Amino acid sequence: MAEPAQPAADRLRPPDGMWRRRVASFGHAFRGVWAALRSEVHLRFHALATVVVIGLGFYYGISRLEWALVAISVACVWSAELVNTAIEALTDLASPEYHPLAGKAKDVAAGAVLLAALGALVVGALVFGPKIFPL
């Protein structure tokens, strides 16, 4: 005999403990960001730049589209910096002694941060330039 069908609410309910694990994963992520902020000078610089940009955005009353561009730029820079930090830590773990490929991995990851930061700089110039230096 076939099993009776589960009510729709039970089928959509995640397994016990799944929500706890999901909430805990956010805690792990925030702990990772905090650890990177404490250990990485460049990330602290990006944090300061983020505060300045948000302040400028409120001061100049930028539009929703401009806020979206600024938010995407900030998220890209922070994401690149965090991935760079993770790659550096894993590279140091896997290759404690100098190896050319380890150096290449670190350089490429740092290059990704540089490109994200330059892109954010361009967005910042396009959004805030006309407001700071009106023609």
Side-chain angles (χ1 to χ4, degrees):
M1 186 185 301
E3 289 186 36
Q6 288 181 315
D10 286 345
R11 282 186 305 210
L12 297 176
R13 189 172 155 245
D16 290 336
M18 184 176 181
W19 287 114
R20 187 176 299 126
R21 289 192 305 272
R22 294 292 165 245
V23 170
S25 69
F26 281 101
H28 299 309
F30 285 120
R31 190 172 61 238
V33 172
W34 183 247
L37 270 169
R38 285 192 324 258
S39 65
E40 298 298 318
V41 173
H42 292 118
L43 195 57
R44 280 182 259 163
F45 172 78
H46 294 307
L48 176 63
T50 299
V51 170
V52 168
V53 165
I54 290 171
L56 286 172
F58 283 120
Y59 180 78
Y60 287 109
I62 62 176
S63 70
R64 287 176 61 182
L65 177 60
E66 291 169 328
W67 272 119
L69 293 171
V70 167
I72 290 168
S73 297
V74 167
C76 286
V77 171
W78 277 73
S79 296
E81 189 67 63
L82 290 170
V83 169
N84 179 50
T85 300
I87 288 173
E88 286 181 354
L90 285 173
T91 303
D92 290 344
L93 176 67
S95 181
E97 301 298 321
Y98 175 77
H99 190 281
L101 289 176
K104 181 178 180 181
K106 289 182 169 190
D107 290 346
V108 170
V113 176
L114 177 64
L115 288 180
L118 290 174
L121 188 64
V122 169
V123 169
L126 291 172
V127 169
F128 295 109
K131 295 170 185 351
I132 295 172
F133 306 109
L135 295 177

